[in-house]
Amino acid sequence: MKILRYILLPVVPIYFLITWLRNKLYDLGLKKSVSYNFPVICVGNLSVGGTGKSPMIEYLISILKDEFKVATLSRGYKRKTEGFQLANKNSSAETIGDEPFQFYTKFNNDIYVGVDVDRQNGIQTLRNLEDSPEVILLDDAFQHRKVKAGFNILLTTYHNPYFNDMVLPTGNLREPKRGSKRADIIVVTKCPNDLNQAKKNAVINKIKAKGNQHVFFSSIMYSDVVISANSTKNINDLKSFCLVTGIANATPLVNFLNAKNLQFEHQNFSDHYNFTEKDILELNKKELIITTEKDFMRLKQYESLKETLFYLPIKVKIDDELKFNSLIKAFVKKH
């Protein structure tokens, strides 16, 4: 794959020009972008792959849901339905996608969870509900410029920041680095827990934030327990298990488990992987399976895994969270 990316290096200027021109047309108003008179917050990234969008959406839900009626709107990647779908008790990962299903499972009736490839239609449909949401969180919509969110949160990982990358197909950027200037907040995610101020300052200097932009750092906090459909286990009590992941980057999770000196084999699948009957037959042979919460949403439908399948919850910890929370709530209340 790496060799192929280098072979495709001559394509990079073409991709760069196309995405740059598209953004320029939106910036100049030559391509139409719809804005709204109520709070719409976009969470996204410049890079393909996992930067921690789902945990960030869940963090925003947690700080807003007690004061406001919140809705999330996602594309519903790899779902088997079309058009707008609103999560309900009959929903599954197949009908709305694994990440939206995770939001609905975790927060249930506290929020609305909608999916629609057409974000404009999705926003309008949510607002037309009888008890319409006051705040809409757009999941992975930074490049969806037909919608102009009132507030943009851009995520980039500490170990693979956008400022050290280039556009596709040789790099991982969906658009040129200058796209970061559209963000109101830039969050450097998946930081090591021992990150000191000097290292933070080095990153801030490379980001070169504008005067109206704020930079934050966040890390992943793993739970002490793993959870199944009907029980929990302390992670430190696990003897050996099979780790199953279908996410963009499983390295932080693997490193966390290795640091605990746990014994496990790792079956690593592609992001949003649709498990086959053959996969499930193989997993049925395992005495204990640990997976991510997102993968659990796709695997829990199999009755044969009910007793052996557990997931490890995670949450986001943000440095200076009081300031971060204050910025988010101030935007919502103002609009």
Side-chain angles (χ1 to χ4, degrees):
M1 180 61 73
K2 289 184 178 180
I3 294 175
L4 178 60
R5 285 196 167 205
Y6 283 116
I7 292 174
L8 293 173
L9 186 60
V11 181
V12 168
I14 300 172
Y15 185 92
F16 181 99
L17 181 60
I18 291 172
T19 52
W20 176 86
L21 180 60
R22 175 180 179 271
N23 280 325
K24 197 67 177 177
L25 292 174
Y26 276 110
D27 293 340
L28 295 173
L30 298 177
K31 286 180 74 71
K32 187 178 179 182
S33 183
V34 177
S35 56
Y36 299 89
N37 61 356
F38 55 89
V40 177
I41 301 175
C42 169
V43 175
N45 52 23
L46 296 184
S47 308
V48 296
T51 54
K53 293 184 295 293
S54 294
M56 178 56 69
I57 290 288
E58 291 183 356
Y59 182 90
L60 293 174
I61 293 170
S62 69
I63 66 172
L64 293 173
K65 67 180 179 65
D66 292 336
E67 295 182 56
F68 309 97
K69 187 65 178 181
V70 177
T72 66
L73 181 61
S74 309
R75 173 186 175 186
Y77 186 61
K78 284 197 174 182
R79 62 188 170 112
K80 296 182 179 180
T81 57
E82 295 182 357
F84 178 84
Q85 299 286 327
L86 185 66
N88 57 53
K89 63 181 181 180
N90 297 317
S91 297
S92 66
E94 290 189 342
T95 61
I96 62 174
D98 51 14
E99 289 163 341
F101 187 46
Q102 179 177 319
F103 302 152
Y104 179 73
T105 301
K106 184 167 290 185
F107 297 100
N108 210 292
N109 294 323
D110 286 345
I111 64 169
Y112 291 122
V113 176
V115 296
D116 200 332
V117 173
D118 184 341
R119 301 305 206 286
Q120 287 185 15
N121 181 69
I123 290 173
Q124 190 60 54
T125 305
L126 285 167
R127 288 287 287 183
N128 286 340
L129 294 173
E130 184 176 350
D131 183 17
S132 63
E134 299 169 291
V135 186
I136 296 179
L137 306 177
L138 300 181
D139 178 25
D140 195 13
F142 198 74
Q143 283 75 39
H144 197 97
R145 299 205 60 189
K146 289 183 179 180
V147 166
K148 185 175 182 180
F151 201 89
N152 286 288
I153 301 174
L154 178 68
L155 308 182
T156 186
T157 62
Y158 177 78
H159 293 290
N160 295 291
Y162 69 83
F163 52 75
N164 285 343
D165 208 344
M166 67 173 69
V167 297
L168 293 163
T170 301
N172 290 311
L173 299 186
R174 299 171 172 178
E175 60 172 296
K177 302 171 190 177
R178 67 175 59 222
S180 64
K181 302 305 178 184
R182 300 197 305 274
D184 297 282
I185 284 177
I186 298 173
V187 182
V188 184
T189 64
K190 302 184 180 181
C191 296
N193 292 324
D194 59 350
L195 189 65
N196 58 39
Q197 191 58 49
K199 291 181 179 179
K200 290 179 185 178
N201 290 340
V203 173
I204 291 171
N205 290 336
K206 291 182 179 179
I207 288 176
K208 298 177 181 177
K210 297 190 300 182
N212 65 316
Q213 292 182 306
H214 302 269
V215 179
F216 292 88
F217 295 82
S218 73
S219 55
I220 296 174
M221 302 296 291
Y222 292 96
S223 175
D224 292 328
V225 299
V226 292
I227 303 171
S228 74
N230 50 25
S231 66
T232 63
K233 295 178 182 289
N234 190 297
I235 193 169
N236 295 307
D237 294 336
L238 303 182
K239 302 300 181 183
S240 65
F241 55 89
C242 176
L243 174 66
V244 176
T245 58
I247 56 178
N249 180 16
T251 301
L253 174 56
V254 171
N255 290 343
F256 168 77
L257 296 173
N258 281 329
K260 286 184 166 291
N261 296 314
L262 298 173
Q263 301 299 312
F264 61 94
E265 62 168 307
H266 183 196
Q267 293 192 12
N268 191 24
F269 299 90
S270 58
D271 196 17
H272 299 280
Y273 180 75
N274 286 323
F275 293 93
T276 65
E277 289 185 11
K278 182 180 178 181
D279 297 326
I280 302 306
L281 287 173
E282 288 300 312
L283 291 178
N284 284 337
K285 301 175 183 178
K286 308 298 180 182
E287 292 185 8
L288 178 62
I289 303 165
I290 305 299
T291 191
T292 68
E293 191 168 3
K294 183 171 79 170
D295 293 310
F296 185 81
M297 294 301 128
R298 280 175 279 125
L299 287 168
K300 70 176 185 176
Q301 63 178 305
Y302 299 101
E303 189 67 25
S304 60
L305 299 177
K306 187 174 182 180
E307 300 300 324
T308 57
L309 180 67
F310 291 74
Y311 72 88
L312 178 62
I314 65 171
K315 62 180 180 179
V316 168
K317 179 183 179 182
I318 299 178
D319 281 4
D320 203 356
E321 66 176 0
L322 292 179
K323 180 180 178 181
F324 180 91
N325 295 356
S326 176
L327 288 169
I328 299 299
K329 290 185 178 181
F331 163 74
V332 173
K333 290 176 180 178
K334 181 179 179 181
H335 292 81

